[in-house]
Amino acid sequence: MVRSVQERAVKTREAILRAASEVFDEFGFSGASVSKIMKRAGVTQGGMYFHFPSKMALAHAVMVEQGDGLELPSGEDGLQRLIDTTLYLAGQLQTNPALRAGVRLAIEQGEFGVQDDAPYQYWVQEFAGQLSAARDKGELLPAVDVDELAWVLVSSYSGTQLLSQISTGRADLHQRITTLWRYLLPGIAVPALRPLLTFEEQQQDGTVA
């Protein structure tokens, strides 16, 4: 009985987060309302507030859990897998409400009284892991600082996707991320590796389209 109650609670929380992601993605923090989220999730007020005491708490959860459920591209760790991951994320930003909402709320977080760089640090760590593998394989130039580069890459990626969203609704994001890499690679990758790196579009499951 206890397990059944716990399972229902987990499913209710997931339904609320899914609905909240869709509403925050469509309307932003200011335009979203708890009533819209409740209606879309099909939950009662009690069910909503059992899991999230306020709209601010719900927005924060959507923001920090933006990477949950993503199936990042498989393959050998290193620079190619990092490129594949950034292109996969470009596709997800075009189609995945949870990721889009999380990214949007990370930008809008001042509106709900939060200053939290956790979503960005999550991707800094993910990217640094692939860069560390690339360094160990001899794919990076000797002067490259992995942690510093990971921070620069996340910062550049964030700005690129934001401008793409404003300009074209992210329709050109794959092209823009590819361009970003073509300018970055000469400063970070050993010359012999550069011609071997590919920029194929990644599907939602992480495979090449």
Side-chain angles (χ1 to χ4, degrees):
M1 178 66 177
V2 173
R3 184 175 181 181
S4 177
V5 171
Q6 290 174 337
E7 289 174 349
R8 285 200 301 270
V10 169
K11 289 181 179 179
T12 298
R13 186 180 188 276
E14 290 175 348
I16 294 170
L17 283 174
R18 185 166 53 251
S21 295
E22 294 172 357
V23 174
F24 284 130
D25 178 38
E26 291 176 31
F27 301 102
F29 180 79
S30 297
S33 67
V34 172
S35 61
K36 287 178 183 176
I37 295 168
M38 287 170 46
K39 182 177 181 180
R40 191 166 301 195
V43 300
T44 64
Q45 189 174 43
M48 170 69 75
Y49 288 113
F50 173 81
H51 293 282
F52 302 100
S54 66
K55 188 173 83 164
M56 290 185 292
L58 181 52
H60 189 255
V62 171
M63 183 181 77
V64 299
E65 296 178 30
Q66 61 179 261
D68 292 0
L70 294 176
E71 297 181 11
L72 299 182
S74 59
E76 184 178 354
D77 289 344
L79 204 48
Q80 181 63 66
R81 190 176 182 203
L82 177 56
I83 291 171
D84 292 344
T85 296
T86 60
L87 296 176
Y88 165 76
L89 291 174
Q92 289 292 299
L93 282 165
Q94 294 172 328
T95 61
N96 186 325
L99 181 59
R100 285 203 307 259
V103 168
R104 179 168 184 169
L105 290 169
I107 296 168
E108 297 179 354
Q109 60 180 283
E111 295 184 23
F112 50 102
V114 173
Q115 186 175 348
D116 187 353
D117 69 347
Y120 298 103
Q121 291 298 337
Y122 173 86
W123 292 113
V124 168
Q125 292 172 15
E126 286 287 333
F127 290 3
Q130 294 304 317
L131 289 169
S132 294
R135 178 191 58 200
D136 295 343
K137 291 164 62 179
E139 295 180 344
L140 301 181
L141 295 172
V144 172
D145 182 299
V146 164
D147 294 328
E148 189 174 66
L149 176 57
W151 192 94
V152 169
L153 182 55
V154 171
S155 302
S156 302
Y157 195 103
S158 298
T160 299
Q161 72 83 21
L162 178 59
L163 183 54
S164 174
Q165 192 275 328
I166 293 170
S167 300
T168 68
R170 298 195 181 101
D172 67 346
L173 187 53
H174 181 276
Q175 173 191 344
R176 297 303 179 186
I177 297 303
T178 298
T179 299
L180 174 65
W181 275 115
R182 285 181 174 150
Y183 279 95
L184 283 176
L185 284 173
I188 67 172
V190 295
L193 178 66
R194 293 175 214 159
L196 305 178
L197 298 171
T198 60
F199 300 91
E200 300 294 335
E201 191 166 0
Q202 301 289 312
Q203 296 179 341
Q204 289 193 16
D205 61 0
T207 60
V208 177

